[in-house]
Amino acid sequence: MRILLRVIPRARRNAVEAVSDGTYKVHVTAPPVDGEANESVIKALSAHFGVPKSKINILSGATGRDKVVEIQGVEQPSGSSEAAAASEAKDNSSSSSSSSSSSSSSSSSSSSSSGKSGKQGKRK
């Protein structure tokens, strides 16, 4: 099963919530530094769907907030908007995976160049 999700790093709690459009929001307490947030996302999804962490792969969006994740061993409900969203993501990622990942990287770098970027730089 492939799902679209948005990650909220540095949240107060770790949680996975389904959104009405078939995507998921994953709140993680870890900061988005050195892959810590991605590891927390995989851990949270593992607990939520009841599958081992080794069955979860981030297909795209490793450096951004929006991700496409594949979860092996979980069946997707047929006819749901979630299935349509995941198949759209599959079509988009297979047709131009390099351009979508580079646009994701550039959008995340442009969004991080907003006011938050300066604050993060001072923390380091």
Side-chain angles (χ1 to χ4, degrees), residues 13 29 44 121:
R13 58 184 164 59
T29 57

mmCIF file with all atom_site columns, all heavy atoms in Angstrom, residues 13 29 44 121:
data_model
loop_
_atom_site.group_PDB
_atom_site.id
_atom_site.type_symbol
_atom_site.label_atom_id
_atom_site.label_alt_id
_atom_site.label_comp_id
_atom_site.label_asym_id
_atom_site.label_entity_id
_atom_site.label_seq_id
_atom_site.pdbx_PDB_ins_code
_atom_site.Cartn_x
_atom_site.Cartn_y
_atom_site.Cartn_z
_atom_site.occupancy
_atom_site.B_iso_or_equiv
_atom_site.pdbx_formal_charge
_atom_site.auth_seq_id
_atom_site.auth_comp_id
_atom_site.auth_asym_id
_atom_site.auth_atom_id
_atom_site.pdbx_PDB_model_num
ATOM 1  N N   . ARG A 1 13  ? 3.743  15.542 20.486 1.00 0.00 ? 13  ARG A N   1
ATOM 2  C CA  . ARG A 1 13  ? 3.541  14.109 20.668 1.00 0.00 ? 13  ARG A CA  1
ATOM 3  C C   . ARG A 1 13  ? 3.740  13.391 19.337 1.00 0.00 ? 13  ARG A C   1
ATOM 4  O O   . ARG A 1 13  ? 3.676  14.014 18.285 1.00 0.00 ? 13  ARG A O   1
ATOM 5  C CB  . ARG A 1 13  ? 2.127  13.840 21.173 1.00 0.00 ? 13  ARG A CB  1
ATOM 6  C CG  . ARG A 1 13  ? 1.087  14.401 20.193 1.00 0.00 ? 13  ARG A CG  1
ATOM 7  C CD  . ARG A 1 13  ? -0.324 14.257 20.668 1.00 0.00 ? 13  ARG A CD  1
ATOM 8  N NE  . ARG A 1 13  ? -1.299 15.068 19.988 1.00 0.00 ? 13  ARG A NE  1
ATOM 9  C CZ  . ARG A 1 13  ? -1.578 15.064 18.697 1.00 0.00 ? 13  ARG A CZ  1
ATOM 10 N NH1 . ARG A 1 13  ? -0.921 14.318 17.888 1.00 0.00 ? 13  ARG A NH1 1
ATOM 11 N NH2 . ARG A 1 13  ? -2.527 15.824 18.194 1.00 0.00 ? 13  ARG A NH2 1
ATOM 12 N N   . THR A 1 29  ? 7.983  14.009 17.436 1.00 0.00 ? 29  THR A N   1
ATOM 13 C CA  . THR A 1 29  ? 8.677  14.920 18.341 1.00 0.00 ? 29  THR A CA  1
ATOM 14 C C   . THR A 1 29  ? 10.110 15.202 17.885 1.00 0.00 ? 29  THR A C   1
ATOM 15 O O   . THR A 1 29  ? 10.711 16.177 18.304 1.00 0.00 ? 29  THR A O   1
ATOM 16 C CB  . THR A 1 29  ? 8.712  14.343 19.764 1.00 0.00 ? 29  THR A CB  1
ATOM 17 O OG1 . THR A 1 29  ? 9.329  13.057 19.723 1.00 0.00 ? 29  THR A OG1 1
ATOM 18 C CG2 . THR A 1 29  ? 7.312  14.231 20.330 1.00 0.00 ? 29  THR A CG2 1
ATOM 19 N N   . ALA A 1 44  ? 6.417  5.544  13.968 1.00 0.00 ? 44  ALA A N   1
ATOM 20 C CA  . ALA A 1 44  ? 5.007  5.861  14.232 1.00 0.00 ? 44  ALA A CA  1
ATOM 21 C C   . ALA A 1 44  ? 4.082  5.104  13.283 1.00 0.00 ? 44  ALA A C   1
ATOM 22 O O   . ALA A 1 44  ? 3.039  4.579  13.704 1.00 0.00 ? 44  ALA A O   1
ATOM 23 C CB  . ALA A 1 44  ? 4.777  7.366  14.117 1.00 0.00 ? 44  ALA A CB  1
ATOM 24 N N   . GLY A 1 121 ? 19.430 28.102 12.223 1.00 0.00 ? 121 GLY A N   1
ATOM 25 C CA  . GLY A 1 121 ? 20.864 28.327 12.086 1.00 0.00 ? 121 GLY A CA  1
ATOM 26 C C   . GLY A 1 121 ? 21.471 28.812 13.389 1.00 0.00 ? 121 GLY A C   1
ATOM 27 O O   . GLY A 1 121 ? 22.603 28.493 13.727 1.00 0.00 ? 121 GLY A O   1
#
